[in-house]
Every structure is written in structure tokens, then in C-alpha cells.
Amino acid sequence: MKHVFVFDPKAFYNQQWKMDNILDNIGQFFRTQEKPDFSIQFSRYRRNAIGIIQEEAEKAKSGDIVRIYAIGGEEILFDCLNGVAHFPNMQLAVVPFGEKNNFLRVFESNKAEDHYESFKDIPTLVDSDALPTDAIRWGVNYALNSCYIGMNSAILKRVKDLKARFSKGSFYIFSKISTFLNHTFSAFNRNLAAREYKIFIDDVDYSGNYSLIHIANIPYHNGKKTGVSDATPDDGLLDIALIKASFPLRTLISTRRYSRGKRPRNCIFIQGKKITVQSSSKMWIQLDNEYIQDTNISLNVVHHAVQVVAPKGLSYPIGSISAI
């Protein structure tokens, strides 16, 4: 097996010492191995990791498994996923050094909080097995967590843009105020909170006016469990929530309730394998940590698209329904 460590230097801004410690740990571990086969790479810009992974795949011996370690936050994880998903002989290890990592929270039912540091421990990850894991596919792109369409996507994009303008301390204060105001104003914006969508899930028509559309592979978003609380990343299904449009106050209550792990009464819940969403004007779409605008998006689940490394003893929770 070949081990490729892909760092996102931006995740260690003003914390070079932390990245140096990881590099030292990698070197110390592989110096103890009889036939070490590893490389260290740095992703300098978005999508750079995809090209790096392709080059590493070409250099690997025939039949060898290549394990990619995404070291940083959700941006490098997204890029590494999209590199790994194209190759059947690759595995993906999540090494969380970003502000948050939604995907690793799926292990919480197995007390992953007690084992969170094991995802950062190089010897443990190298010696761990990988779990077959589903991914959400949009064209040539893959996502591990979820896709949001509507109110929440527009709000979080504004907050992300705000973050780029402020220091970390200032952003923490202003983000709370900005998120509250954005939710309030968006609830009164019919283009965001009561837009008409044409929606087909496994060829069944669910078209209507909705404030929020959530297509999930896992139940977590923005660090919290959502209303699709039973979503599991290995059951071959997408968990889809459609929150119907309503008057502004109810919209605020419904979306807030949903983001706190509850399912409001005006929420339609479906499990399916594919979904198409269309709108007459560009929709705000959040695919993991990526933001795009489009009038048409088609998504489908790719069962066991990627092998994700999990420290020993950890597994995915059992889904309520399985397509397989």
C-alpha cells in the first residue's frame, strides 16, 4: 500500500508549528517501517489536490492500493474525494485540522467523540481498515455530506463571504448577528423562501413551492444534526427533506427546527436514489462546502463510491432503511 499525505496549508494559517508536528510524526513513523512507501504533497490552490492524486495513481505499482490522507478542513476533503472517486484502487482518510468536519460526526453514535483524536493519529490511521461509503454525484463532481438548495444555501454563502472580510475574532461576533438578520430577511424574500421548483425523485413528481431542499448522505450540516437524523453514508439511499413554503414566521420556525435535528410538520421526507431540481431562475446550491448557482441540478447516489478509512472499532450507524 502507498500512503499519500495531502496537506492544505491554508488550514494551518498562523499555526505552522502544528503542520510541522504532523510532518515530523509522519517521518518518524515511516522511518520505523521495513519498506516505507509514502509521499507528502501540498495543495496550493483549489482543485490542485485532484491533479496531485491523479499523478500519484499513475506512479503507483500495478495492483497497489493508494491511501490518500486529506489533512485540513472540508475544502481539502472535497478535493481529495473528487480525486479518489475516479479510481477503484484508492482509499480516503480524513485527517481533521479545519474549523469543523461534518462527516466525522456520523461516527458519534459509536462514541467517535472519544476517538476523535484517533483520526489525527498517523500510526492509527495507517493501520486501520476502510469502510465502503456512498457519495453524491453531480455530473463529474462528488460530495460526501449533502446538498442544500434554497434559503440556507444563500444565507451560508453570505456568511462565508463575510468571514473573508473580517479577522477570526471579529467574524465570530458579526457572524451571529449576520446569520440572525439573514435568516429573518430571507424569510420575507419569496425568491428564497417560497420559490417554485420542479422536483423529480426517482421519477416521481414532488414539484411545488419550497423554502429549503436538503439532499443528505449524512445527518450533519454546519456542525449540527439536521432533521434527516437517520441518514447513513452506506445504505445506497439519499435522505431528502423538502420544507414547504409558508408565511415568514412559520418559515423561520420550520428552518430553525430542522437545523436543530427536528422535522417540522411542513416537511416532506423521502428516501431515493436520484433527484432532479429545476427553477426558472438561478438557485443557490451548496454541495458540501462548495457554492454554485444554476437553474438545473441532477444528483444521484453512487453506492460504495469510495473507501473511507475509520480507526479500529468505528463503523457507520445502521440506517433505518437500506436500498441494498
Side-chain angles (χ1 to χ4, degrees):
M1 181 183 290
K2 181 173 184 178
H3 304 269
V4 181
F5 299 87
V6 184
F7 284 79
D8 179 7
K10 297 190 301 299
F12 299 91
Y13 180 71
N14 284 340
Q15 292 183 317
Q16 181 66 37
W17 60 270
K18 190 177 288 187
M19 187 162 70
D20 290 341
N21 283 343
I22 303 169
L23 291 167
D24 288 342
N25 290 337
I26 294 170
Q28 289 173 13
F29 173 78
F30 281 99
R31 278 196 293 270
T32 66
Q33 306 303 300
E34 186 176 342
K35 294 181 180 180
D37 189 1
F38 76 103
S39 66
I40 294 172
Q41 303 285 353
F42 297 91
S43 180
R44 301 296 182 184
Y45 49 87
R46 293 310 311 273
R47 304 295 187 274
N48 185 201
I50 297 176
I52 291 171
I53 290 169
Q54 289 174 344
E55 291 175 3
E56 292 289 351
E58 292 169 1
K59 291 187 291 185
K61 298 174 185 177
S62 177
D64 266 8
I65 293 174
V66 182
R67 181 171 287 184
I68 304 296
Y69 299 77
I71 305 176
E74 298 216 330
E75 289 187 353
I76 192 66
L77 177 57
F78 184 87
D79 289 354
C80 286
L81 169 69
N82 279 276
V84 168
H86 295 282
F87 297 96
N89 64 327
M90 285 194 164
Q91 298 177 351
L92 179 62
V94 185
V95 189
F97 281 92
E99 291 182 357
K100 59 179 180 291
N101 191 293
N102 287 302
F103 186 78
L104 294 188
R105 298 199 64 183
V106 78
F107 293 102
E108 284 187 358
S109 62
N110 289 319
K111 299 182 179 179
E113 287 180 321
D114 298 336
H115 302 284
Y116 190 77
E117 290 302 314
S118 64
F119 286 96
K120 298 181 179 181
D121 186 73
I122 300 304
T124 298
L125 285 177
V126 169
D127 196 38
S128 295
D129 295 325
L131 302 175
T133 304
D134 300 342
I136 301 171
R137 181 167 61 192
W138 169 52
V140 298
N141 297 286
Y142 291 84
L144 203 54
N145 300 335
S146 65
C147 175
Y148 259 91
I149 301 172
M151 263 184 67
N152 280 29
S153 306
I155 292 167
L156 289 171
K157 179 61 169 70
R158 291 169 187 161
V159 173
K160 185 178 181 180
D161 291 343
L162 180 70
K163 181 180 178 181
R165 301 191 190 104
F166 289 92
S167 66
K168 189 173 182 178
S170 299
F171 169 73
Y172 179 80
I173 296 171
F174 285 106
S175 67
K176 301 295 183 183
I177 300 171
S178 175
T179 301
F180 172 77
L181 292 175
N182 268 308
H183 268 95
T184 303
F185 292 140
S186 296
F188 286 88
N189 183 343
R190 293 192 60 82
N191 191 45
L192 289 177
R195 178 181 287 207
E196 182 180 359
Y197 297 95
K198 289 184 178 180
I199 302 173
F200 292 89
I201 301 172
D202 290 344
D203 300 322
V204 177
D205 191 349
Y206 288 89
S207 301
N209 288 12
Y210 299 99
S211 57
L212 183 149
I213 301 167
H214 185 202
I215 303 133
N217 194 37
I218 65 169
Y220 296 94
H221 180 260
N222 204 29
K224 299 177 182 178
K225 181 173 276 193
T226 66
V228 288
S229 56
D230 292 328
T232 55
D234 64 345
D235 62 356
L237 292 167
L238 299 172
D239 285 42
I240 303 165
L242 310 173
I243 296 184
K244 294 180 180 180
S246 186
F247 55 88
L249 181 58
R250 186 177 182 186
T251 295
L252 283 170
I253 294 172
S254 296
T255 54
R256 184 177 179 82
R257 182 176 174 80
Y258 184 81
S259 67
R260 295 192 170 193
K262 306 296 182 181
R263 203 171 290 169
R265 291 182 179 179
N266 60 332
C267 176
I268 300 173
F269 173 74
I270 314 104
Q271 287 185 307
K273 294 185 176 183
K274 62 180 181 178
I275 177 172
T276 297
V277 182
Q278 298 175 336
S279 179
S280 58
S281 58
K282 287 186 176 180
M283 308 171 283
W284 273 112
I285 302 166
Q286 181 187 10
L287 195 67
D288 280 1
N289 202 39
E290 301 291 301
Y291 293 87
I292 56 176
Q293 284 189 291
D294 208 332
T295 58
N296 187 336
I297 185 168
S298 293
L299 306 168
N300 67 282
V301 64
V302 182
H303 188 52
H304 293 175
V306 62
Q307 300 286 320
V308 174
V309 177
K312 291 181 178 179
L314 293 181
S315 60
Y316 297 132
I318 298 173
S320 57
I321 299 176
S322 176
I324 307 303

